[in-house]
Amino acid sequence: MTTPLEAIIGLEVHVQLRTRSKLFCACRNAYGALPNSLTCPVCLGLPGALPVLNAEAVRMALALGLAVGAEIRPRSAFYRKQYFYPDLPKGYQITQGPVAVVEGGGLEIPGDPLVRGAEGPVRIRLERAHLEEDAGKSSHDWSTTASFVDLNRAGVPLVEIVGAPDLRSPQEASDWLKALHRLVVFLGICDGNLEEGSFRCDANVSLRPVGATAFGTRVEVKNLNSFRFVKQALAFEIVRQGDLLARGESVAQETRGWDAAAGETRAQRTKEAAMDYRYFPEPDLPPLEVDPAEVAAVRATLPELPEARIQRYRSAYGLAEDEARALLQSPAFADYFDTVARASGEGRQAANWMLGEVSRVLNERGVGIENLGLAPEALAELIHLVAQGTINLGTARETVLPALLAGEGSAAEIVARKGLAQVADAGAIAEQVRTVVSAHPDVVAQIHAGRANLKGFLVGQVLKAGGGRLDPRRVNEALDEVLAKS
Ligand code: ADP
Ligand code: ZN
Ligand code: MG
């Protein structure tokens, strides 16, 4: 019998900050511009050019630190990390050294019951988060064997978040990464675009016998640009390392890459080939000093944090955890929901509309909530009309919503113009019920003989005859009365 093994996982995440300008120069920080159009002597690394630290980037790093409950270091510094690559024009990257501006902190995730038993939420710590500049981007055209370098990204501000090795399964890694992604997006410090490289993850993983305290040899899987790849790459590595150990072989400490097409990790470089970056303090920048007033100012502007918002949706509207999380798919979506819930006074129904009809329309059109072309107050009015019983849900979905989206006026106007209001007159409803009941004596006989489920058939017939304008609840009540007398 072999000893059972457990996985130890720690993630390193590069978060591109949404500042207006780059970290050490006034060049615009933007994606997708004409190659090399957003450059200057500083980010091109021309001799004599001097860096000046971007205060907005510092405030964003502080916001992150405060949001994860980290310690903000009053004094930290920048270093030069030397290596040679065409997309690194200075020949070094400016990054924070042994002391980062953000130290510690953590994010809560639901623990994976498969590896922890029924333990409930766990706090996964951050070791640190430091400021650094991004490198440029190179691309290769193999048909002409030409290489291209675009330095628009050189000098873009990054926060590198180093997660503690507290994660125990690929599921936990994915949950933590999603919580971190949600946090930086809702803090407004990152656009969160994984395809454009605004949020990039390296995953470290090792195995050890269950019960051991020392860690095993770790492998780092580089550049995982989707949550799914993180999970898949880690699952693959856990099996690969487990097989090696089961055969009595050892795991080599190395960097590996994820081949998404093949569904496997591949060795890139070994520890022996690891570079010596010859770090030394950046002589052109003073130490980074953060005073308590600045920390307080950033704290005062923090928005409601995503985890708090999820809990609020759960307790105020009785939503399930996954529903609340789905409403936080983007700040705009969550803000829209908040307005609909408040204006309609119907949080539960508002959530159903957002996750049902509204999401369906957005998917069909392939647009975000910003481009729905319907004010949240207008949707709230529709929800209110249903809650009041003026129209039923089917009419609201099938007739009023499309008309609202087509710009045919407010919900109340559409209901009035198309004559969609439910019949409120009890006499009229009873009349319809009596007509249907007398048309189906056989069904009535069967109901009296005990087949109560056939009532649904009669209700359906009445609703059909009423052209969708009858309130099913009232029809049910009226039917019970008529049947009791027949
Ligand atoms: P380095 O300085 O080489 O980058 P760090 O100690 O900073 O190494 O760790 C980098 C990342 O690796 C962190 O996210 C950490 O949680 C993770 N890590 C460290 N040791 C292990 C291990 N034995 N198994 C899995 N992950 C680990
Ligand atoms: Zn520049
Ligand atoms: Mg590291």
Side-chain angles (χ1 to χ4, degrees):
M1 214 346 272
T2 49
T3 24
L5 299 173
E6 73 171 340
I8 305 292
I9 299 167
L11 304 183
E12 292 173 277
V13 186
H14 284 91
V15 173
Q16 256 181 19
L17 299 177
R18 279 177 65 181
T19 51
R20 275 158 299 185
S21 54
K22 293 187 182 181
L23 188 54
F24 299 116
C25 62
C27 290
R28 197 154 62 84
N29 171 14
Y31 181 87
L34 190 68
N36 298 305
S37 63
L38 308 177
T39 55
C40 74
V42 174
C43 55
L44 290 176
L46 299 187
L50 288 174
V52 176
L53 181 61
N54 181 339
E56 193 187 15
V58 175
R59 283 194 293 273
M60 288 181 174
L62 296 183
L64 172 74
L66 293 173
V68 297
E71 188 187 334
I72 305 298
R73 286 294 163 101
R75 193 181 163 98
S76 55
F78 289 96
Y79 286 71
R80 290 186 180 181
K81 177 179 178 178
Q82 339 270 332
Y83 63 92
F84 295 99
Y85 205 73
D87 63 19
L88 189 74
K90 292 198 294 286
Y92 58 86
Q93 176 196 25
I94 303 180
T95 178
Q96 294 216 276
V99 176
V101 63
V102 171
E103 296 270 351
L107 274 179
E108 206 171 83
I109 56 162
D112 184 348
L114 290 178
V115 290
R116 293 185 195 264
E119 225 180 272
V122 282
R123 184 175 156 88
I124 306 298
R125 294 166 300 155
L126 273 72
E127 281 173 2
R128 61 218 298 268
H130 55 260
L131 274 165
E132 62 184 30
E133 60 178 338
D134 210 341
K137 220 180 194 162
S138 28
S139 51
H140 311 284
D141 179 344
W142 300 110
S143 62
T144 59
T145 64
S147 285
F148 304 91
V149 175
D150 176 9
L151 295 175
N152 285 349
R153 202 178 71 177
V156 162
L158 297 175
V159 164
E160 183 184 340
I161 295 163
V162 183
D166 291 349
L167 299 159
R168 294 292 176 268
S169 74
Q171 180 63 47
E172 290 195 352
S174 161
D175 286 345
W176 189 74
L177 196 63
K178 282 183 182 167
L180 185 61
H181 182 264
R182 199 157 45 226
L183 181 66
V184 297
V185 169
F186 276 78
L187 284 172
I189 66 174
C190 176
D191 68 20
N193 193 321
L194 285 104
E195 295 92 70
E196 292 178 3
S198 305
F199 188 89
R200 320 194 282 266
C201 177
D202 303 333
N204 298 271
V205 54
S206 63
L207 298 181
R208 72 176 175 191
V210 170
T213 46
F215 288 152
T217 306
R218 84 179 141 113
V219 161
E220 179 173 23
V221 187
K222 282 276 186 200
N223 280 324
L224 296 162
N225 64 355
S226 88
F227 298 112
R228 198 161 47 92
F229 289 166
V230 169
K231 247 169 115 167
Q232 290 175 343
L234 285 170
F236 179 89
E237 263 309 297
I238 288 169
V239 171
R240 188 187 70 84
Q241 294 181 21
D243 285 348
L244 284 172
L245 296 174
R247 286 201 302 268
E249 294 172 38
S250 58
V251 173
Q253 183 171 343
E254 62 188 1
T255 301
R256 298 177 72 89
W258 171 244
D259 181 337
E264 60 186 35
T265 64
R266 297 247 177 86
Q268 285 181 337
R269 56 181 139 90
T270 60
K271 190 189 177 194
E272 290 69 42
M275 274 184 268
D276 173 6
Y277 293 117
R278 298 178 295 121
Y279 281 91
F280 70 84
E282 167 60 63
D284 292 339
L285 284 166
L288 170 54
E289 312 242 16
V290 181
D291 65 53
E294 186 168 9
V295 176
V298 171
R299 195 189 293 279
T301 61
L302 285 183
E304 179 184 24
L305 299 182
E307 295 312 310
R309 205 156 169 177
I310 288 170
Q311 290 316 315
R312 175 165 66 82
Y313 289 174
R314 296 192 63 185
S315 58
Y317 307 132
L319 305 185
E321 171 116 28
D322 57 341
E323 290 176 311
R325 231 183 281 128
L327 289 167
L328 267 70
Q329 57 192 261
S330 77
F333 196 89
D335 288 348
Y336 192 105
F337 164 71
D338 271 333
T339 309
V340 176
R342 204 177 327 109
S344 67
E346 301 285 336
R348 168 74 265 179
Q349 294 307 318
N352 289 351
W353 278 88
M354 294 300 295
L355 300 176
E357 297 302 298
V358 170
S359 294
R360 186 181 54 72
V361 171
L362 296 178
N363 283 338
E364 270 169 22
R365 299 186 181 177
V367 298
I369 193 81
E370 308 83 0
N371 297 312
L372 179 61
L374 180 65
E377 293 80 5
L379 179 60
E381 185 189 341
L382 175 59
I383 293 172
H384 189 62
L385 290 178
V386 176
Q388 272 184 327
T390 306
I391 51 172
N392 66 38
L393 196 53
T395 305
R397 283 202 194 120
E398 286 144 35
T399 313
V400 186
L401 181 66
L404 268 180
L405 291 168
E408 295 176 20
S410 75
E413 286 163 5
I414 293 163
V415 167
R417 184 164 359 97
K418 301 196 180 209
L420 299 171
Q422 299 192 107
V423 176
D425 176 4
I429 292 176
E431 185 59 45
Q432 291 272 18
V433 170
R434 275 193 294 273
T435 309
V436 167
V437 163
S438 49
H440 297 280
D442 47 333
V443 178
V444 172
Q446 291 192 49
I447 291 173
H448 285 317
R451 295 194 55 194
N453 59 331
L454 283 174
K455 279 201 282 185
F457 167 77
L458 294 180
V459 170
Q461 294 300 308
V462 175
L463 293 178
K464 205 162 135 196
R469 295 173 55 218
L470 302 184
D471 181 343
R473 204 181 49 229
R474 292 184 185 214
V475 170
N476 264 300
E477 287 163 9
L479 179 64
D480 283 339
E481 273 175 36
V482 171
L483 285 176
K485 290 183 209 142
S486 66

